[in-house]
C-alpha cells in the first residue's frame, strides 16, 4: 500500500517537471518575451541616457499603448481565425465622427464619443455579419472595408467641414471630462505616464482573462483551430465571430478617442497602416496567422517591441527611416521563430 | 442474442435516396446495451448514409427509427445527442493545438463562480479529463498538453471518452481504425471493448473484417445500399464476412485483369511501371485467396 502511493507520487513529480518544461516551450509568447528583452538590452546599451530614463520609458510605452490596444483586440480575432484590415480606417472614421458631431452639431464631446462608439460597433458588426453570411475570407471583406471606410471618412468630412482635419477640440464642450478619462498623465516618480498605457494594460488583462479563464476564450481557440469541429460541439461560431469583429472595432474607437483627446483634433488620415502594424505585433507575439493559437500577452509584448524600437531609434540618433526596415525584418524572424517553437512543442511527445 | 430486451436504437426498413441514386434501401438493424454492433461494407455500400441517419444528420425517406422503443424523428445531430446518441467521426472533431482538457470540454465548459467572476474551471476540466481517460485505460501525463501531441489512436480515445462522459448511451464510431497502424488500431479496439463493458451500445463502422471480428458481437453487412442481414459471431466466419462485404469474385477478376496488363506491358517495355503493377496483382491475388483486405 505504502509502496504504491510512493511510486505514484514519484511519478507525479516527474510529470510536473516535464509539464513545466513543455508549458514554457508551448507558450506562444515565449519568443516575443525573448525579443522584448533583447531589444530593451540593445537600446539600453546604445542609448542609455534617453532610453533608460523614466521619461524615455513613458514615451515608448505611450507609443506601444496605441498599437497595443489595437493588437490585443486583433489577437483575439486572429486566434479566432479571422483578420480585420479595416481597424486603421475605423480609427480615422471614429475620430472624425466624434469631432464633427461636437464642432458641427454642438453636442458635448463625451456624448459624441458615445455615439461614435455605437457607430463603430455597428461597423464591426457589419464586418462580422458580412464574413459570416458571405463565407468570404475576412481578409477580402475587411480589405474592402479598409478602402470604403477611409473613403467615406474623407468624403464626408470634406463635404461637411470643407477640410480633412477637424481641430480646436480643446475648447469644445465636454472636453475636460474626456481629458480626465483618456488624456491625463499619471505622475509616477515625478514623470507623467499617459493614461492610455493603463487602458492598454487593463484591456490586455481583460482579454487574457477571457481567453484563458472563460468558456468564450475556449470557444475562440476552438473556432480558430477547427471551425467545423467547434460548431459540431455546440460553439455559437457565427455570434462569436461577429462579436470579435465588434471587439476590434471597439479597440479602434478607443485608440481614436485617446488620440482625439490628446491631440485635440481629428484627422481623416489617422490610423493609416495601423491595421498592418497591429497584425505584425500580434504575429511577433506568437499568434498563428492560421488561427487557433496565440495570446493577448504576446500581442502586448509585440506592441512593446514596436514602441521600444520606434522610440529607441530616435534616442539612439539613428535616422527614423530605418524603422520600417526593422519592423519588416522582425516580422519574418518572428514567424520563423514561432514556427520552430510550435513544432518543438508539438513534437515534445514521449 | 438479447431477445426480450428493448434495443437502444433500432431502424426498420429505412431507405434514403439522393435524387435518382438509391443510397440505402430497406435496411434494418438494432443495437442493444452492452454490445458492439459492427457495420461492415465496402466503399459506397451505404455505411455513411446509415450512420448519418442514426446520428440525425439525414432523415430517412422511408422506414422508421426507434430510440429505446420510442419512435423518433431527428431534425439535427443535436437532437440525437440529447437522446444520448454520440457520433465520433473519422476526422475526430479534435483541435490539435488545444489542450486535451480544453478539447474535452469544448462547447460544454465547466464554470465556477458567479456573475463577472464566472470562469472556466481549468482544474476541474484537467482532473475530469484525466480521470475519464484513465477509465478508458489511457494514462496521460499532462491534460494540458496539446491534442496534437497525441497519437491517432489516443485522439480517437479522447473523442470516445468525451462522448461517454457527456452521457452517451450509444456510441457511433465512424471508421475509428481506418487511418491507424496495427498497434494503434489495437488500442482503439480495446477502448471499444471497454465502452461495451460499461454497458454502452456501440456501432462500429469499419471495412476491415479483422478489426470487426476482434470486438464485434453482431455484424450487419451492407453492400450497394442493401443489407445482407445481421449475424452473430457464431453464424458467420471471417471468410464469409469478407466474401459478402467486397465480393471476393470481383477481387479475383480484378487481379487477373491486372496480371494481363502486366504481361503485355512486360512484352513491350521493361519499365519499372509493369513491375509495380505485377506486384499489385500478386498482392491482390493473395488477398483474394486468403480473405485479407488490401
Amino acid at each position: 500500500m505504502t509502496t504504491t502511493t510512493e511510486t505514484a507520487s514519484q511519478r507525479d513529480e516527474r510529470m510536473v517537471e516535464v509539464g513545466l518544461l513543455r508549458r514554457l516551450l508551448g507558450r506562444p509568447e515565449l519568443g516575443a518575451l525573448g525579443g522584448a528583452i533583447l531589444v530593451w538590452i540593445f537600446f539600453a546599451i546604445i542609448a542609455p541616457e534617453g532610453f533608460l530614463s523614466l521619461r524615455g520609458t513613458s514615451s515608448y510605452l505611450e507609443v506601444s499603448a496605441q498599437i497595443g490596444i489595437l493588437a490585443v483586440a486583433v489577437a483575439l480575432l486572429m486566434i479566432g481565425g479571422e483578420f480585420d484590415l479595416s481597424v486603421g480606417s475605423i480609427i480615422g472614421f471614429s475620430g472624425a465622427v466624434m469631432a464633427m458631431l461636437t464642432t458641427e452639431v454642438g453636442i458635448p464631446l463625451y456624448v459624441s464619443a458615445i455615439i461614435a462608439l455605437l457607430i463603430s460597433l455597428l461597423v464591426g458588426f457589419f464586418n462580422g455579419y458580412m464574413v459570416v453570411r458571405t463565407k468570404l475570407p475576412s481578409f477580402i471583406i475587411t480589405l474592402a472595408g479598409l478602402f470604403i471606410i477611409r473613403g467615406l471618412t474623407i468624403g464626408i468630412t470634406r463635404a461637411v467641414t470643407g477640410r480633412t482635419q477637424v481641430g480646436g477640440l480643446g475648447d469644445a464642450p465636454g472636453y475636460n471630462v474626456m481629458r480626465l478619462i483618456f488624456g491625463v498623465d499619471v505622475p509616477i516618480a515625478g514623470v507623467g505616464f499617459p493614461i492610455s498605457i493603463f487602458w492598454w494594460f487593463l484591456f490586455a488583462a481583460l482579454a487574457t482573462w477571457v481567453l484563458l479563464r472563460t468558456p468564450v476564450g475556449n470557444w475562440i481557440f476552438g473556432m480558430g483551430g477547427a471551425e467545423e469541429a467547434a460548431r459540431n460541439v455546440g460553439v455559437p461560431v457565427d455570434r462569436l465571430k461577429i462579436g470579435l469583429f465588434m471587439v476590434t472595432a471597439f479597440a479602434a474607437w478607443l485608440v481614436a478617442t485617446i488620440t482625439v483627446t490628446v491631440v485635440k483634433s481629428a484627422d481623416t488620415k489617422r490610423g493609416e497602416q495601423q491595421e498592418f502594424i497591429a497584425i505584425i505585433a500580434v504575429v511577433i507575439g506568437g499568434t498563428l496567422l492560421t488561427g487557433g493559437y496565440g495570446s493577448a500577452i504576446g500581442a502586448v509584448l509585440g506592441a512593446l517591441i514596436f514602441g521600444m524600437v520606434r522610440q529607441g531609434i530616435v534616442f539612439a540618433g539613428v535616422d527614423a527611416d530605418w524603422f520600417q526596415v526593422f519592423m519588416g525584418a522582425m516580422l519574418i524572424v518572428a514567424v520563423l521563430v514561432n514556427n520552430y517553437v510550435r513544432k518543438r512543442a508539438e513534437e515534445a511527445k514521449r | 442474442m438479447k431477445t426480450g430486451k428493448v434495443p437502444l436504437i433500432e431502424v426498420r426498413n429505412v431507405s434514403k435516396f439522393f435524387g435518382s441514386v438509391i443510397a440505402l434501401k430497406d435496411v434494418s438493424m438494432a443495437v442493444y446495451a452492452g454490445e458492439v454492433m459492427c457495420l461492415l461494407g465496402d466503399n459506397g455500400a451505404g455505411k455513411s448514409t446509415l450512420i448519418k441517419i442514426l446520428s440525425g444528420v439525414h432523415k430517412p425517406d422511408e422506414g422508421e427509427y426507434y430510440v429505446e422503443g420510442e419512435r423518433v424523428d431527428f431534425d439535427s445531430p443535436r437532437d440525437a445527442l440529447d437522446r444520448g446518441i454520440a457520433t465520433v467521426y473519422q476526422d475526430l472533431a479534435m483541435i490539435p493545438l488545444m489542450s486535451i482538457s480544453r478539447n474535452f470540454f469544448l462547447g460544454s465548459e465547466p464554470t465556477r463562480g458567479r456573475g463577472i467572476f464566472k470562469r472556466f474551471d481549468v482544474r476541474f476540466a484537467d482532473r475530469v479529463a484525466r480521470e475519464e481517460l484513465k477509465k478508458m485505460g489511457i494514462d496521460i501525463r499532462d491534460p494540458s498538453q496539446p491534442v496534437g501531441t497525441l497519437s491517432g489512436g489516443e485522439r480517437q480515445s479522447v473523442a470516445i471518452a468525451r462522448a461517454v462522459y457527456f452521457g452517451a448511451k450509444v456510441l457511433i464510431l465512424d471508421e475509428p481504425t481506418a487511418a491507424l497502424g496495427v498497434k494503434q488500431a489495437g488500442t482503439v479496439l480495446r477502448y471499444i471493448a471497454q465502452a461495451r463493458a460499461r454497458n454502452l451500445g456501440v456501432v462500429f463502422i469499419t471495412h476491415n473484417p479483422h478489426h470487426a471480428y476482434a470486438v464485434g458481437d453482431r455484424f450487419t453487412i451492407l453492400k450497394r445500399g442493401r443489407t445482407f442481414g445481421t449475424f452473430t459471431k457464431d453464424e458467420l466466419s471471417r471468410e464469409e464476412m469478407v466474401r459478402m462485404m467486397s465480393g471476393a469474385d470481383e477481387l479475383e477478376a480484378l487481379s487477373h485483369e491486372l496480371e494481363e496488363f502486366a504481361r503485355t506491358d512486360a512484352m513491350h517495355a521493361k519499365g519499372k511501371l509493369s513491375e509495380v503493377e505485377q506486384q499489385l496483382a500478386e498482392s491482390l491475388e493473395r488477398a483474394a485467396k486468403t480473405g485479407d483486405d488490401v
Side-chain angles (χ1 to χ4, degrees), chain B residues 57-126:
Chain B
V57 176
H58 291 326
K59 281 187 179 195
D61 292 322
E62 291 170 3
E64 297 115 50
Y65 187 177
Y66 298 88
V67 174
E68 292 173 292
E70 183 189 324
R71 176 103 193 248
V72 290
D73 192 17
F74 292 147
D75 288 318
S76 77
R78 194 78 232 175
D79 291 350
L81 212 56
D82 290 343
R83 294 298 302 258
I85 301 163
T87 311
V88 177
Y89 287 103
Q90 211 171 346
D91 54 15
L92 279 175
M94 283 276 144
I95 293 145
L97 282 167
M98 276 172 87
S99 75
I100 295 169
S101 51
R102 279 178 175 269
N103 259 293
F104 197 95
F105 285 99
L106 182 61
S108 319
E109 289 81 0
T111 53
R112 53 189 295 203
R114 290 184 176 280
I116 56 162
F117 295 110
K118 194 167 150 184
R119 58 203 185 274
F120 181 28
D121 194 342
V122 178
R123 279 165 76 183
F124 177 83
D126 280 353

Side-chain angles (χ1 to χ4, degrees), chain B residues 20 29 31 41 60 81 133 142-143 147 173 226 229:
Chain B
S20 60
M29 66 172 277
V31 184
L81 212 56
L133 285 171
D142 176 7
V147 158
L173 306 174
R226 287 162 202 271

Side-chain angles (χ1 to χ4, degrees), chain A residues 3 5 15-16 51 53 64 81 84 92 109 139 160 171 183 192 200 209 222 241 244 282 287 301 305 311 318 324 349:
Chain A
T3 34
T5 38
M15 208 142 53
V16 170
F51 191 75
S53 70
S64 302
D84 190 347
L109 192 57
F139 187 91
V160 172
D171 310 321
W200 173 36
W209 164 264
K241 207 169 268 188
L244 287 176
V282 169
T287 297
L301 291 167
I305 291 176
Q311 295 308 95
V318 178
Q324 296 199 18
K349 153 96 179 161

Side-chain angles (χ1 to χ4, degrees), chain A residues 293-309:
Chain A
Y293 187 78
S295 90
I297 307 257
V300 166
L301 291 167
L304 185 63
I305 291 176
F306 174 90
M308 285 195 295
V309 175

